[in-house]
């Protein structure tokens, strides 16, 4: 699926409105792929209010949502291995009553939960305003809403 930023945000907000906790969403993609854009949209959709800073330096932010679950937004980029990931309280992340949105999930290695969505974001050559979005169901995660619309791109 290829989405503009506003369509990605629209889908992310639908995810936040509809997803059931607990849930673990691994947000994959290189620097600038749109992982934080998507994470913020999901948090907004769940009714998280206020400023949503990037967790690049703080690694983990946890917000209460209007829907009653907490939203944990993590960016593991600066961590070097699963031991460091474990030390930040990993056991609780995406646990009971929490929706976890995790950027750079590859840093967690085998600590990633068995039930999750892997959401990949990738640049589209020659179209800097678009991203290719891949959804991979791993194990038995809660359902996600369908994408809002499909954009056809030539070439
Ligand atoms: N279709 C799109 N979807 C998402 N972001 C887009 C899209 N088109 C352009 N962008 C831009 O790409 C950038 C994505 O930045 P973002 O911080 O979300 O990346 P990131 O994947 O979180 O990177 P990092 O690994 O550094 O945390 C933003 O500046 C956004 O405006
Ligand atoms: Mg980011």
């Amino acid at each position: 699926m290829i989405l503009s930023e506003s369509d990605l945000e629209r889908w992310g907000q639908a995810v936040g409105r509809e997803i059931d906790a607990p849930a673990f969403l691994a947000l994959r993609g290189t620097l600038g792929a749109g992982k934080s854009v998507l994470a913020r949209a999901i948090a907004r959709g769940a009714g998280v209010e206020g400023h949503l800073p990037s967790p690049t330096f703080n690694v983990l932010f946890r917000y209460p949502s209007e829907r009653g679950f907490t939203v944990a937004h993590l960016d593991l980029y600066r961590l070097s291995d699963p031991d460091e990931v474990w030390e930040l309280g990993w056991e609780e992340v995406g646990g009971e009553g929490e929706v976890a949105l995790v950027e750079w999930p590859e840093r967690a290695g085998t600590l990633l939960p068995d039930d999750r969505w892997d959401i990949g974001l990738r640049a589209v050559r020659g179209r800097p305003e678009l991203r290719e979005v891949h959804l991979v169901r791993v194990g038995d995660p809660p359902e996600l809403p369908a994408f809002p619309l499909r954009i056809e791109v030539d070439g």
Side-chain angles (χ1 to χ4, degrees):
M1 187 71 47
I2 292 179
L3 298 178
S4 68
E5 184 164 353
S6 59
D7 287 328
L8 182 69
E9 287 179 327
R10 193 143 39 109
W11 179 67
Q13 289 179 20
V15 171
R17 283 194 304 270
E18 296 178 26
I19 197 169
D20 290 323
F24 190 104
L25 308 187
L27 308 181
R28 299 178 181 270
T30 54
L31 294 168
K35 303 179 294 295
S36 294
V37 165
L38 178 58
R40 286 196 188 95
I42 294 170
R44 288 288 181 231
V48 174
E49 288 171 356
H51 180 52
L52 298 174
S54 170
T56 302
F57 296 100
N58 294 67
V59 183
L60 188 160
F61 287 114
R62 194 170 260 130
Y63 308 96
S65 77
E66 278 177 1
R67 293 195 54 217
F69 51 72
T70 59
V71 174
H73 181 193
L74 290 81
D75 183 341
L76 307 181
Y77 183 71
R78 292 161 68 86
L79 304 186
S80 47
D81 58 48
D83 284 347
E84 280 185 33
V85 172
W86 183 256
E87 283 164 18
L88 59 88
W90 186 253
E91 272 172 300
E92 310 292 320
V93 172
E96 198 62 34
E98 182 155 285
V99 172
L101 312 172
V102 181
E103 301 185 40
W104 295 97
E106 27 299 85
R107 299 287 193 268
T110 58
L111 296 178
L112 287 177
D114 295 338
D115 297 326
R116 63 176 193 267
W117 285 99
D118 279 354
I119 304 178
L121 296 164
R122 219 164 39 194
V124 178
R125 195 166 4 145
R127 298 297 298 268
E129 78 284 15
L130 300 178
R131 295 291 184 275
E132 198 177 328
V133 186
H134 283 277
L135 285 185
V136 179
R137 176 197 293 273
V138 181
D140 186 26
E143 287 305 317
L144 294 181
F147 286 117
L149 61 85
R150 182 190 303 261
I151 300 173
E152 301 298 343
V153 183
D154 296 332

